[in-house]
Amino acid sequence: MTTHREGTFVEGLWVEPAQLSSETAPTVAEVGCTSAPLESMAFHFASFCKKYNDDYVKCKNESQDPKHCLKEGRKVTRCALDLIGKLKENCDAQWTKHWECLDMNNHTLFKCRKEEKEFNDCVFKRLGLTKVIPETPEGATPIHLKEKPLYK
Amino acid sequence: MPHARQRWLVPLEPLFPLLVIGAVGTVMRWGVAKYQKYENFGKPKRWSVDRWDRRMMERDSRLTGNVNFQRAEIEAPQAFLTNSAWELERPFM
């Protein structure tokens, strides 16, 4: 947005007065996690909600209009809320430790491998999800499983 | 004329000033880190922030009031549905 400038004499932030009417969009609650928890559960979300995510991406590829993909978006949101509930119930301590570590380290994943390993083990044990990095070449260990990632 | 004898094989004389410079540099880096932690509620500053991170941080500030606070609840607060990060400017000129 090249036309944006910082406001001078700012007196608060804009709050939208109108709500979505219930005919166009029955509201589903928004996901209440900020960036660090979302980043640490991102790969598990990808495998847990794969079909809804693929639907939404295919729908978005058809058109960029926000009104076009509201239904698929709501399904994705419901699946995400479901997963967050399950994580809080089962693996809350490990998840919290991992995202707090990410928070202290500029949200870089490579600094927090130990906590990530504990979190992934807990999630695999309780929920059966593994973290899969989509485009690893055949036969190469994914980077989060390498013992010495800095060596060739 | 005989050659002057070298005083030491390894130059020990500049060692002390180097230690002083090292100490001053370390204190400076520690001080800057402490000040940044004080400004950012106990965390180091975010660096190499790209457009994705800026938009996620803006979403964070709408959820919790400040970019430095994180929360891990299931549902968002009601105010999140209608708030924004657009600044309201008092008309002048």
Side-chain angles (χ1 to χ4, degrees), chain A residues 85-120:
Chain A
K86 287 203 166 86
L87 283 177
K88 281 180 87 71
E89 207 181 291
N90 288 320
C91 286
D92 198 22
Q94 290 91 341
W95 188 29
T96 310
K97 279 234 297 277
H98 186 224
W99 65 252
E100 277 173 358
C101 169
L102 280 182
D103 215 13
M104 297 298 282
N105 284 307
N106 193 37
H107 289 222
T108 45
L109 290 172
F110 63 88
K111 288 258 183 194
C112 294
R113 292 294 180 199
K114 194 158 71 86
E115 286 84 358
E116 186 188 330
K117 187 169 182 323
E118 289 169 10
F119 177 50
N120 287 352

